[in-house]
Amino acid sequence: MGIFFLYLFIASATPLFLWKEKRRLAIASLPLLLVMWIMSGYYVAGMLTPAAHTFFMVLFSFNVLLAHVAAIILYVKPKWWKRYADYKPDPE
């Protein structure tokens, strides 16, 4: 359960990371996060039906995936582009 809440908080911080560079994506993720937090309350209380539980796990997985993609876009991709921009092949 601890890992679940850790990922819940990581996914919730995603719009903060995206706000400067990808504002539309950050705004688009806010309703999903709101639904995810509401459903997590129902999940902890044990009030989800099997269909709602499946929807919640898909939504939760999507938000965690979005958080990881945002981290790659913001932190890894610029370093890749810089590495290729600095690369100069040996003249033959």
PDB file of all heavy atoms in Angstrom, residues 14-24 26 74:
ATOM      1  N   THR A  14       3.293  15.496 -11.310  1.00  0.00           N
ATOM      2  CA  THR A  14       3.595  15.622 -12.730  1.00  0.00           C
ATOM      3  C   THR A  14       3.209  16.976 -13.320  1.00  0.00           C
ATOM      4  O   THR A  14       4.013  17.569 -14.041  1.00  0.00           O
ATOM      5  CB  THR A  14       2.916  14.490 -13.523  1.00  0.00           C
ATOM      6  OG1 THR A  14       3.368  13.254 -13.011  1.00  0.00           O
ATOM      7  CG2 THR A  14       3.220  14.576 -14.998  1.00  0.00           C
ATOM      8  N   PRO A  15       2.022  17.527 -13.050  1.00  0.00           N
ATOM      9  CA  PRO A  15       1.704  18.841 -13.628  1.00  0.00           C
ATOM     10  C   PRO A  15       2.675  19.941 -13.189  1.00  0.00           C
ATOM     11  O   PRO A  15       2.925  20.879 -13.941  1.00  0.00           O
ATOM     12  CB  PRO A  15       0.291  19.137 -13.112  1.00  0.00           C
ATOM     13  CG  PRO A  15      -0.290  17.809 -12.841  1.00  0.00           C
ATOM     14  CD  PRO A  15       0.847  16.955 -12.385  1.00  0.00           C
ATOM     15  N   LEU A  16       3.244  19.811 -12.007  1.00  0.00           N
ATOM     16  CA  LEU A  16       4.227  20.805 -11.573  1.00  0.00           C
ATOM     17  C   LEU A  16       5.480  20.761 -12.440  1.00  0.00           C
ATOM     18  O   LEU A  16       6.057  21.793 -12.775  1.00  0.00           O
ATOM     19  CB  LEU A  16       4.598  20.574 -10.111  1.00  0.00           C
ATOM     20  CG  LEU A  16       3.459  20.699  -9.105  1.00  0.00           C
ATOM     21  CD1 LEU A  16       3.943  20.316  -7.720  1.00  0.00           C
ATOM     22  CD2 LEU A  16       2.894  22.100  -9.116  1.00  0.00           C
ATOM     23  N   PHE A  17       5.903  19.554 -12.796  1.00  0.00           N
ATOM     24  CA  PHE A  17       7.077  19.416 -13.654  1.00  0.00           C
ATOM     25  C   PHE A  17       6.795  19.894 -15.070  1.00  0.00           C
ATOM     26  O   PHE A  17       7.668  20.438 -15.733  1.00  0.00           O
ATOM     27  CB  PHE A  17       7.542  17.958 -13.710  1.00  0.00           C
ATOM     28  CG  PHE A  17       7.935  17.399 -12.383  1.00  0.00           C
ATOM     29  CD1 PHE A  17       7.481  16.161 -11.992  1.00  0.00           C
ATOM     30  CD2 PHE A  17       8.752  18.106 -11.520  1.00  0.00           C
ATOM     31  CE1 PHE A  17       7.842  15.622 -10.771  1.00  0.00           C
ATOM     32  CE2 PHE A  17       9.119  17.588 -10.295  1.00  0.00           C
ATOM     33  CZ  PHE A  17       8.660  16.343  -9.928  1.00  0.00           C
ATOM     34  N   LEU A  18       5.581  19.661 -15.536  1.00  0.00           N
ATOM     35  CA  LEU A  18       5.226  19.991 -16.911  1.00  0.00           C
ATOM     36  C   LEU A  18       4.809  21.443 -17.104  1.00  0.00           C
ATOM     37  O   LEU A  18       4.708  21.905 -18.237  1.00  0.00           O
ATOM     38  CB  LEU A  18       4.069  19.099 -17.373  1.00  0.00           C
ATOM     39  CG  LEU A  18       4.371  17.638 -17.575  1.00  0.00           C
ATOM     40  CD1 LEU A  18       3.083  16.887 -17.847  1.00  0.00           C
ATOM     41  CD2 LEU A  18       5.331  17.452 -18.706  1.00  0.00           C
ATOM     42  N   TRP A  19       4.546  22.158 -16.045  1.00  0.00           N
ATOM     43  CA  TRP A  19       3.901  23.459 -16.139  1.00  0.00           C
ATOM     44  C   TRP A  19       4.666  24.446 -17.015  1.00  0.00           C
ATOM     45  O   TRP A  19       4.081  25.156 -17.827  1.00  0.00           O
ATOM     46  CB  TRP A  19       3.702  24.049 -14.748  1.00  0.00           C
ATOM     47  CG  TRP A  19       2.841  25.256 -14.781  1.00  0.00           C
ATOM     48  CD1 TRP A  19       3.234  26.543 -14.621  1.00  0.00           C
ATOM     49  CD2 TRP A  19       1.438  25.300 -15.031  1.00  0.00           C
ATOM     50  NE1 TRP A  19       2.170  27.379 -14.747  1.00  0.00           N
ATOM     51  CE2 TRP A  19       1.056  26.640 -15.002  1.00  0.00           C
ATOM     52  CE3 TRP A  19       0.483  24.330 -15.283  1.00  0.00           C
ATOM     53  CZ2 TRP A  19      -0.257  27.034 -15.211  1.00  0.00           C
ATOM     54  CZ3 TRP A  19      -0.831  24.721 -15.485  1.00  0.00           C
ATOM     55  CH2 TRP A  19      -1.183  26.060 -15.445  1.00  0.00           C
ATOM     56  N   LYS A  20       5.969  24.503 -16.908  1.00  0.00           N
ATOM     57  CA  LYS A  20       6.739  25.497 -17.639  1.00  0.00           C
ATOM     58  C   LYS A  20       6.844  25.185 -19.133  1.00  0.00           C
ATOM     59  O   LYS A  20       6.622  26.057 -19.961  1.00  0.00           O
ATOM     60  CB  LYS A  20       8.137  25.588 -17.039  1.00  0.00           C
ATOM     61  CG  LYS A  20       8.736  26.930 -17.089  1.00  0.00           C
ATOM     62  CD  LYS A  20      10.010  26.942 -16.288  1.00  0.00           C
ATOM     63  CE  LYS A  20      10.499  28.354 -16.146  1.00  0.00           C
ATOM     64  NZ  LYS A  20      11.727  28.452 -15.419  1.00  0.00           N
ATOM     65  N   GLU A  21       7.170  23.942 -19.474  1.00  0.00           N
ATOM     66  CA  GLU A  21       7.423  23.600 -20.865  1.00  0.00           C
ATOM     67  C   GLU A  21       6.191  23.087 -21.605  1.00  0.00           C
ATOM     68  O   GLU A  21       6.024  23.362 -22.782  1.00  0.00           O
ATOM     69  CB  GLU A  21       8.526  22.534 -20.968  1.00  0.00           C
ATOM     70  CG  GLU A  21       9.897  23.047 -20.621  1.00  0.00           C
ATOM     71  CD  GLU A  21      10.199  22.940 -19.143  1.00  0.00           C
ATOM     72  OE1 GLU A  21       9.340  22.414 -18.405  1.00  0.00           O
ATOM     73  OE2 GLU A  21      11.276  23.393 -18.731  1.00  0.00           O
ATOM     74  N   LYS A  22       5.353  22.307 -20.956  1.00  0.00           N
ATOM     75  CA  LYS A  22       4.202  21.660 -21.597  1.00  0.00           C
ATOM     76  C   LYS A  22       2.929  21.972 -20.816  1.00  0.00           C
ATOM     77  O   LYS A  22       2.320  21.119 -20.202  1.00  0.00           O
ATOM     78  CB  LYS A  22       4.399  20.145 -21.651  1.00  0.00           C
ATOM     79  CG  LYS A  22       5.690  19.699 -22.267  1.00  0.00           C
ATOM     80  CD  LYS A  22       5.611  19.740 -23.754  1.00  0.00           C
ATOM     81  CE  LYS A  22       6.910  19.188 -24.327  1.00  0.00           C
ATOM     82  NZ  LYS A  22       7.008  19.336 -25.724  1.00  0.00           N
ATOM     83  N   ARG A  23       2.521  23.219 -20.839  1.00  0.00           N
ATOM     84  CA  ARG A  23       1.395  23.678 -20.018  1.00  0.00           C
ATOM     85  C   ARG A  23       0.080  22.985 -20.387  1.00  0.00           C
ATOM     86  O   ARG A  23      -0.708  22.638 -19.517  1.00  0.00           O
ATOM     87  CB  ARG A  23       1.259  25.181 -20.136  1.00  0.00           C
ATOM     88  CG  ARG A  23       0.286  25.751 -19.137  1.00  0.00           C
ATOM     89  CD  ARG A  23       0.408  27.218 -19.026  1.00  0.00           C
ATOM     90  NE  ARG A  23       1.706  27.500 -18.428  1.00  0.00           N
ATOM     91  CZ  ARG A  23       2.086  28.698 -18.035  1.00  0.00           C
ATOM     92  NH1 ARG A  23       1.292  29.717 -18.181  1.00  0.00           N
ATOM     93  NH2 ARG A  23       3.264  28.883 -17.514  1.00  0.00           N
ATOM     94  N   ARG A  24      -0.162  22.762 -21.675  1.00  0.00           N
ATOM     95  CA  ARG A  24      -1.420  22.114 -22.084  1.00  0.00           C
ATOM     96  C   ARG A  24      -1.513  20.693 -21.555  1.00  0.00           C
ATOM     97  O   ARG A  24      -2.566  20.251 -21.123  1.00  0.00           O
ATOM     98  CB  ARG A  24      -1.553  22.097 -23.597  1.00  0.00           C
ATOM     99  CG  ARG A  24      -1.894  23.433 -24.167  1.00  0.00           C
ATOM    100  CD  ARG A  24      -2.146  23.331 -25.632  1.00  0.00           C
ATOM    101  NE  ARG A  24      -2.451  24.653 -26.170  1.00  0.00           N
ATOM    102  CZ  ARG A  24      -2.752  24.884 -27.407  1.00  0.00           C
ATOM    103  NH1 ARG A  24      -2.784  23.881 -28.271  1.00  0.00           N
ATOM    104  NH2 ARG A  24      -3.025  26.090 -27.813  1.00  0.00           N
ATOM    105  N   ALA A  26      -0.045  19.604 -18.880  1.00  0.00           N
ATOM    106  CA  ALA A  26      -0.233  19.725 -17.430  1.00  0.00           C
ATOM    107  C   ALA A  26      -1.700  19.991 -17.094  1.00  0.00           C
ATOM    108  O   ALA A  26      -2.263  19.378 -16.185  1.00  0.00           O
ATOM    109  CB  ALA A  26       0.645  20.835 -16.866  1.00  0.00           C
ATOM    110  N   LEU A  74      11.241  15.928 -20.140  1.00  0.00           N
ATOM    111  CA  LEU A  74      11.832  17.122 -19.541  1.00  0.00           C
ATOM    112  C   LEU A  74      13.304  16.979 -19.185  1.00  0.00           C
ATOM    113  O   LEU A  74      14.044  17.959 -19.243  1.00  0.00           O
ATOM    114  CB  LEU A  74      11.046  17.507 -18.293  1.00  0.00           C
ATOM    115  CG  LEU A  74       9.617  17.955 -18.526  1.00  0.00           C
ATOM    116  CD1 LEU A  74       8.931  18.233 -17.217  1.00  0.00           C
ATOM    117  CD2 LEU A  74       9.582  19.181 -19.412  1.00  0.00           C
TER     118      LEU A  74
END
